[in-house]
Amino acid sequence: MIFKAVGDERPYPDHGLTTPKDWAEVPPRQVRLDELVTTKSTLDLRSLLSEDSTFYGDLFAHVVRWKGTMYLEDGLHRALRAALGQRNVLHARVLEVP
């Protein structure tokens, strides 16, 4: 299995980061794909296969760590591209939510 689990929602409380500028304050680091729980269960294949899928967004995925679990909030297509490339880590901005 690529991910720890596949979810359909964000179980953690609202963290208040809404814009790329907000997320830019969170430093990126490597996370293992098998430690992530997705917050979306569907993906647009156009996003996955697009050459410029990160052109208008953050280069790093957004992960929220809450109660010891890491949730992939944004960047599902990046994570799947990493898995398809046989990589088991992803560069992500990891926000710790108390």
Side-chain angles (χ1 to χ4, degrees):
M1 184 153 185
I2 297 171
F3 301 110
K4 180 178 180 178
V6 175
D8 277 326
E9 61 185 3
R10 298 175 182 172
Y12 46 87
D14 185 10
H15 49 68
L17 300 185
T18 57
T19 68
K21 186 177 180 181
D22 295 337
W23 276 98
E25 300 295 321
V26 180
R29 65 179 179 100
Q30 286 188 346
V31 296
R32 291 182 50 86
L33 295 177
D34 61 2
E35 295 178 343
L36 296 174
V37 175
T38 69
T39 58
K40 299 174 189 168
S41 62
T42 59
L43 174 75
D44 178 7
L45 279 177
R46 287 187 202 108
S47 294
L48 177 64
L49 301 174
S50 174
E51 289 293 324
D52 62 350
S53 62
T54 60
F55 185 76
Y56 294 105
D58 195 342
L59 292 175
F60 303 102
H62 298 166
V63 172
V64 175
R65 184 179 173 101
W66 182 62
K67 293 186 175 181
T69 301
M70 293 200 299
Y71 296 93
L72 180 61
E73 181 173 293
D74 181 51
L76 181 58
H77 64 285
R78 291 178 190 89
L80 286 175
R81 280 181 139 193
L84 290 171
Q86 298 186 356
R87 295 183 304 274
N88 60 359
V89 295
L90 174 71
H91 287 86
R93 298 182 188 280
V94 180
L95 177 67
E96 297 280 342
V97 173

